[in-house]
Amino acid sequence: MSESRFIHGFHAISAKLRHDPEAILELHVSAQRSDARARDLLAKAEAAGVRIMPNESARLDGMAGTHRHQGVVAKIDPRHKVLHLSDILEDLTENALILVLDGIQDPHNLGACLRVADAAGVHAVIAPKDRAVGLNATAMKVASGAGDTVPYIVVTNLARTLRELKDAGVWCIGADGEATKSLYEIDQKGPVAWVLGAEGDGLRRLTRETCDELAKIPMLGSVESLNVSVASGVCLFEARRQRAG
């Protein structure tokens, strides 16, 4: 029997259905989910020939562990496949919240960023193929399951991807300690992509220049910068705070 694992939530499962449906061994759906969103996902799964198994929420809780599964859990054959940004954006039912990571080479930082992204309800994490660590075993372990729940998109040209986001109406904000504007001064209620670089090096020049605007996290103590996962959390949850307000 092949090794298997679980992915959870509508975004992750919808993306897997679009690009790698043969990897889905079973789709478990809560008996309490009979809304339009669940029916749409079931229709896509049926069209792809995926085995659908109704289950009680308690059983899904056991599969997902501590992660929020939204009433849908898929058992998959663990094969990674590149996702497409356009498909993620098309599936959204709220304004986009994207995390873009520029040049993160420490797998512990990447895993921590994925955990933050999952907690903040980020719709996708985008990273370049080159000069970045990628989803290796260490990053997946540190992510504690968030590597499965948050769509992770690897791109060959980050600046071009930022331009695609902008063309799709997503406002790209670069985190930069030298920026004149604070992140609290920026309206983040609309579609937003936060772009962060590695601690110390920060954003690369072309990445910085491609962003719509730059913003800083006000630093009130003696340290000059935050770890990228901490900075991601500050930025993403400010967006969530504004939207909730």
Side-chain angles (χ1 to χ4, degrees), residues 97-240:
L97 182 59
I98 308 293
L99 176 62
V100 181
L101 299 173
D102 183 22
I104 307 302
Q105 300 189 34
D106 185 333
H108 294 87
N109 282 342
L110 175 59
C113 284
L114 287 169
R115 290 186 68 179
V116 168
D118 176 82
V122 164
H123 302 117
V125 174
I126 299 172
K129 179 181 179 181
D130 298 323
R131 299 182 184 178
V133 62
L135 275 181
N136 61 25
T138 300
M140 291 293 287
K141 182 177 180 180
V142 174
S144 299
D148 293 325
T149 59
V150 181
Y152 184 75
I153 302 173
V154 178
V155 299
T156 56
N157 188 314
L158 192 59
R160 182 172 61 208
T161 300
L162 290 176
R163 288 191 287 269
E164 291 174 2
L165 282 169
K166 293 161 70 172
D167 290 343
V170 179
W171 192 251
C172 296
I173 309 169
D176 189 335
E178 302 300 318
T180 58
K181 186 180 293 188
S182 161
L183 82 158
Y184 302 117
E185 301 175 65
I186 297 174
D187 185 351
Q188 301 180 50
K189 299 183 185 70
V192 163
W194 269 103
V195 189
L196 287 91
E199 183 180 1
D201 294 338
L203 299 174
R204 289 179 291 174
R205 179 189 59 82
L206 184 57
T207 303
R208 183 185 298 106
E209 292 175 353
T210 310
C211 291
D212 289 300
E213 65 179 326
L214 302 176
K216 64 182 178 182
I217 299 173
M219 304 294 290
L220 305 180
S222 59
V223 299
E224 296 182 356
S225 63
L226 297 173
N227 177 275
V228 63
S229 64
V230 176
S232 297
V234 173
C235 297
L236 295 171
F237 277 99
E238 170 59 15
R240 282 299 178 192

